[in-house]
Amino acid sequence: MILVSVMYPGGADAQPFDLGYYLKHHMPLVRERWSSMGLEKAEVVTASGTPDGSPATFQVIALLTFRSLDDFKQAGAAHGKEIFGDIPNFFKGQPVVQINEPQSF
């Protein structure tokens, strides 16, 4: 299992982010295209700040759980162009994508 983090930069100079479009159009597109390709869970978190009151480094983070790295790669190859091509509709910046391996302890 892997956890893919798609992080949209925030901070003082953050680009505007259309959360309504993202939740109503983009994330349903992700779920529709990738659920049959190994996407097991999709969660979105929005930042509310940092402990010292400064703006959060990332304003929105999508957490996508896939069965395997191979599933994520195949999903990306099949529909990545469409999904990543939709980003300018809600965010003018560049997201940071990180692949993570969940650890139990």
Side-chain angles (χ1 to χ4, degrees):
M1 183 169 297
I2 63 159
L3 178 67
V4 178
S5 303
V6 183
M7 302 173 286
Y8 297 90
D13 298 326
Q15 294 289 321
F17 191 96
D18 185 344
L19 187 61
Y21 180 94
Y22 185 71
L23 295 175
K24 291 179 185 171
H25 299 283
H26 185 74
M27 289 308 294
L29 174 67
V30 168
R31 192 176 295 279
E32 180 182 317
R33 297 294 189 263
W34 286 351
S35 286
S36 66
M37 303 189 80
L39 176 66
E40 294 190 345
K41 182 178 178 184
E43 186 175 16
V44 173
V45 295
T46 57
S48 54
T50 62
D52 68 3
S54 61
T57 304
F58 297 100
Q59 57 184 307
V60 176
I61 301 174
L63 303 169
L64 309 174
T65 303
F66 278 85
R67 289 185 305 240
S68 69
L69 180 57
D70 285 340
D71 283 346
F72 173 64
K73 287 180 179 180
Q74 289 175 0
H79 300 289
K81 185 175 181 179
E82 177 184 17
I83 289 171
F84 286 100
D86 188 46
I87 292 172
N89 290 322
F90 59 88
F91 184 67
K92 303 303 180 210
Q94 183 68 37
V96 175
V97 179
Q98 179 174 297
I99 297 169
N100 310 284
E101 295 183 17
Q103 304 295 312
S104 296
F105 60 94

